[in-house]
Each structure stands twice: as structure tokens, then as C-alpha cells.
Amino acid sequence: MSKPASGTGFFWHERCFWHDQGAIGVFSEPGWFMQPQPASESPESKRRLKNLLEISGLIDELEVRKPAPASREELLTFHTPEYMDRLEAGDQLGRGNAGEAAPFTRGSLAAAQQSAGLAVAAVEAVLRGELRNAYALCRPPGHHAEADRGRGFCLLGNIPIAVNRARQLGLLERVAILDWDVHHGNGQQDAFYTDPQVLTISIHQAANYPLESGGFEELGDGAGLECNLNLPMPPGSGIGAYDYAMEKLILPAIEAFAPELIVVACGYDACAKDPLGKMMLNSEAFGRMTRQVQAVADRCCQGRLVMTHEGGYSEGYVPFCGHAVIAALADSDIQATDPQNEEIAAWGYQSLQPHQQALIDGWVEAFFKQRY
């Protein structure tokens, strides 16, 4: 790997916004008692984020790139040929379901390949030293997709594909993946559960989605034992709880692992306005977490940091959270004033609660005791 250049990349493509799941409920197809409605995972929050970057002028400080979609060869670094055949068959039929709560229509596969292509290109550009860090505005998201099926709005595993491709090219060996989407990052966990060269961390709302995964006791297996860390946070966790978890466990774990690259699965559904989560972060909290991870990246891996867009279903609030993250990545003074930032910070129970501190302290002791 060469020495990283300065500059923040912004990877996006209009094709990603054209993915259409069809008229479904939150997770279900319409039926006798389920009135058709727009899908929860819509293009609007992502499009509005890009629009806000344009309006604020922040986009002019970024290196904007629109790379090619991921090839089938690149997708097969993570997904099985049988699964790719199923997606292609569904695309030809015009409608399908990739797995659990992952419906799609004609054109969705092209959007998903484009989304994966953004992640692949962002990781490669940072590792080759073309950019210091990068943000990939991926859609559909990817952190729930597994090797042989889609799940939870995700068709393709954007991060595992990008990491595996970089390793295939000889650009990367050791990587830390942090997922702060409100839902468990089961896709990354599944992809690297036995791999000692990949540290996967997920901080999420306990027992939200998927229900059967995301417990602290899931620490990896075989050679990858103690290379997977889950922080299933109690519903209602706010700024104080996330700050404490980052400071006491997440950041020290990443730094101790000493990766060559940090990748963040950057979901915004832990924000206070999200309809699918019960957490209480504001946009400032997302910006602060980004700066904290940047500081670790500066110490560990010459600032190499890639963030891929995951969940976040508040069309009005996601743009402010994303703008705060990207401004932090770019070390920019350009801000988009969030009219609800201070109000959210003043909500009750935003400070670290005793039960939250006790839980996190227990994880800290158990994780580092087992690891060291």
C-alpha cells in the first residue's frame, strides 16, 4: 500500500436510487390486512443527503466519483454462484425476493451491483493512496446480506465484497469493520466469523433485527475467535451510552487490533427520529463518532477509513446526520445547521444510565480478559 493522499472521496451513482422493492409494508408484502405502501427503505433519504451536500457546498470540497458497477467476478468473492443465479433469474422475471425481507423488482440487481461497485472502488482508492478516506452512498444497503441470501432490505454484501476484492488484489490483509447501524451487522459477522485478520464490531439495539443474532457471546470461531464483538445496547440508549461504549470498548478494541484499514457500516437508524429503531442519537453524535474513528485510523493505518451508507429511514433527519459525518471525514468547516440537534441532546435519559454503564463495563472486562 502506498502512502495515502489527502482528500475525501464521495462515491455515488443515480442508478442506486432506482432500486424498487415494490409496495410493501415494513417487512411484509401487502395482504388482506396490510395496505400497500411505499417501502421503508426508499431512495429519498439518500437523495436528500446528496442534495444537502450540494446546497451547503460541502460537495465542492469532496472528490466525487461515479465508478463502474461490481462485476459478477467481484460479487463471487463473497456470494455463492447459486445465489447470483437466483438474483439474475428474478431480475429476468421482473420480481423476486432475495431472502428474508429483501424483495426486489426489475432493475434492482443493476442497482445492487452499482452499490457494491461504490464500496469496491472506495476501498481500492483509499488503499492505493488516491484518497485519504471516502464515503460511499450505497443503496441498496448491504450489511444484512449473507453469502447465499439477501436479508433485511440488503441484496449484496457491499463491505464483504469490497474487502474480499481488495485482499484478492493484494492490497489488504488486516481490516477492522465497525457497524453502528441500529440493526445487527450479521452480514459482516457471517462473512468473517472464522477469519483472524478481520475484526468485526457491531453496536446495535438489542434483539431488534435479526432476532437470532447479535449477542455479546458471539465472539467468532476457530482461528477467528475473539475477532467478533457485538454490543447489543438496550432500547432507549442515547448519546451518553454511545459515547461511553465508543470510549471504553470500541475504539480500544480497534486500536489494539492494529488494522491496515477501517471500514464503517454507517447506518443512521440509531438517530432519535428513525421509525425502525428506538435509540436517541442526534447528528452531532454521528459527527463525533466519525472524528473518534478518524483519530484511531490516523494512529493505526495512516488515516485509511472508508464509510459505506447503510440504514436510516427518517427522510428528513438522515441528511443532517450524513452531512455531519462527511464534514468530519473531510475536516470541513462547512456545516448544515440541524434545527433539532440541541433539542434531541436535551431529551431525558440522554446521559449514561447506571444500567447502561454496568452492561458496558461487563463487556469491557469480559472482552479484554478473554482476548488478553
Side-chain angles (χ1 to χ4, degrees):
M1 293 180 292
S2 58
K3 184 178 180 180
S6 61
T8 295
F10 181 67
F11 291 71
W12 83 285
H13 200 286
E14 176 68 24
R15 176 65 64 187
C16 294
F17 299 156
W18 290 22
H19 163 51
D20 180 10
Q21 297 175 86
I24 63 170
V26 174
F27 290 113
S28 308
E29 292 188 3
W32 290 112
F33 299 103
M34 180 70 73
Q35 181 176 334
Q37 66 183 72
S40 296
E41 200 291 297
S42 77
E44 190 64 13
S45 60
K46 294 81 176 173
R47 193 185 298 279
R48 289 169 71 108
L49 169 54
K50 180 182 177 292
N51 291 346
L52 185 59
L53 297 174
E54 296 273 7
I55 292 299
S56 75
L58 179 56
I59 201 165
D60 297 324
E61 296 187 0
L62 309 175
E63 183 168 329
V64 179
R65 297 191 181 187
K66 294 195 284 186
S71 66
R72 182 180 170 102
E73 176 189 1
E74 289 169 332
L75 303 181
L76 291 176
T77 62
F78 174 52
H79 292 290
T80 66
E82 295 77 14
Y83 176 58
M84 292 310 307
D85 290 345
R86 291 207 320 269
L87 286 182
E88 290 168 5
D91 186 64
Q92 290 297 314
L93 289 172
R95 186 174 181 84
N97 198 321
E100 176 186 85
F104 63 94
T105 58
R106 181 170 285 118
S108 291
L109 179 56
Q113 287 183 261
Q114 184 65 68
S115 183
L118 300 182
V120 168
V123 166
E124 185 170 340
V126 169
L127 290 175
R128 291 191 184 280
E130 299 169 16
L131 299 164
R132 180 173 179 80
N133 55 44
Y135 190 96
L137 188 58
C138 296
R139 180 178 184 266
H143 76 139
H144 293 312
E146 297 171 357
D148 59 353
R149 63 170 173 167
R151 297 186 76 181
F153 310 149
C154 302
L155 302 183
L156 299 174
N158 299 324
I159 291 175
I161 292 165
V163 167
N164 286 344
R165 179 58 172 168
R167 297 171 87 184
Q168 186 182 67
L169 293 172
L171 297 173
L172 178 66
E173 292 184 3
R174 196 168 179 85
V175 58
I177 302 170
L178 168 60
D179 189 321
W180 62 45
D181 190 282
V182 84
H183 305 105
H184 177 229
N186 64 288
Q188 288 96 231
Q189 174 172 304
D190 182 69
F192 302 113
Y193 203 61
T194 61
D195 193 331
Q197 296 287 75
V198 183
L199 174 67
T200 47
I201 302 176
S202 178
I203 178 170
H204 50 271
Q205 181 183 320
N208 184 326
Y209 181 86
L211 287 174
E212 79 283 0
S213 69
F216 175 78
E217 67 280 1
E218 298 163 22
L219 293 168
D221 196 17
L225 185 62
E226 299 165 5
C227 290
N228 188 75
L229 173 60
N230 288 319
L231 285 72
M233 302 285 280
S237 295
I239 296 168
Y242 272 76
D243 282 347
Y244 194 73
M246 291 287 287
E247 176 189 351
K248 295 296 184 180
L249 183 50
I250 293 172
L251 300 171
I254 294 173
E255 189 154 6
F257 189 73
E260 300 167 312
L261 171 74
I262 300 172
V263 182
V264 176
C266 186
Y268 299 108
D269 34 15
C271 81
K273 299 294 183 177
D274 198 88
L276 300 188
K278 304 300 180 187
M279 301 311 212
M280 300 196 297
L281 299 187
N282 59 2
S283 61
E284 185 178 357
F286 283 101
R288 181 167 55 255
M289 291 193 298
T290 302
R291 289 188 294 273
Q292 290 173 321
V293 175
Q294 274 185 294
V296 173
D298 287 341
R299 294 193 294 270
C300 289
C301 48
Q302 296 183 286
R304 295 186 183 97
L305 172 61
V306 174
M307 308 187 82
T308 68
H309 196 105
E310 292 289 346
Y313 308 98
S314 172
E315 295 178 358
Y317 202 63
V318 162
F320 290 104
C321 297
H323 194 284
V325 164
I326 296 168
L329 274 182
D331 294 322
S332 176
D333 294 327
I334 295 176
Q335 302 298 319
T337 302
D338 172 2
Q340 296 182 299
N341 186 68
E342 300 306 319
E343 175 193 334
I344 292 170
W347 285 5
Y349 299 96
Q350 280 289 15
S351 60
L352 178 67
Q353 302 298 300
H355 71 285
Q356 297 163 349
Q357 180 173 352
L359 185 64
I360 295 166
D361 285 345
W363 291 336
V364 170
E365 182 179 0
F367 182 74
F368 286 109
K369 182 178 179 180
Q370 292 183 55
R371 192 172 178 82
Y372 305 108

